[in-house]
Amino acid sequence: RFCMVSTSLHYRIDRHKIGYLKFILEGYEGLVTLTTVDPKQGIVVLNMPPGCEKDTIAILHELACEIHMEPWDAV
């Protein structure tokens, strides 16, 4: 049996930018999914299948000039 473990990254972003970020990431079908954890605080989680981390991080770096993303510790 093969089990794929996804990588999750949590971020806090401007809550008004959540829809925009989700729209952009959905364009990269199968690369990453965005789930809103707390819409009032702008907390989102990005889930990536194994091997997609590098490409996802590159996309996030490109978007950094439009969307401020601060890592959020999901403790």
Side-chain angles (χ1 to χ4, degrees):
R1 178 183 253 194
F2 181 72
C3 180
M4 289 184 17
V5 177
S6 66
T7 300
S8 296
L9 299 174
H10 292 79
Y11 289 98
R12 180 187 313 249
I13 67 172
D14 178 342
R15 64 189 186 99
H16 298 101
K17 300 278 187 167
I18 293 172
Y20 175 70
L21 180 58
K22 186 172 181 92
F23 174 77
I24 295 296
L25 296 177
E26 284 177 350
Y28 296 91
E29 193 170 315
L31 182 69
V32 59
T33 60
L34 180 146
T35 303
T36 304
V37 176
D38 185 333
K40 289 183 180 180
Q41 292 187 45
I43 307 300
V44 298
V45 61
L46 305 178
N47 292 299
M48 299 150 274
C52 294
E53 298 87 357
K54 184 177 178 181
D55 291 335
T56 299
I57 296 299
I59 293 165
L60 295 177
H61 281 287
E62 289 295 321
L63 290 170
C65 62
E66 298 178 53
I67 303 172
H68 175 73
M69 293 175 261
E70 103 186 24
W72 183 71
D73 189 8
V75 176

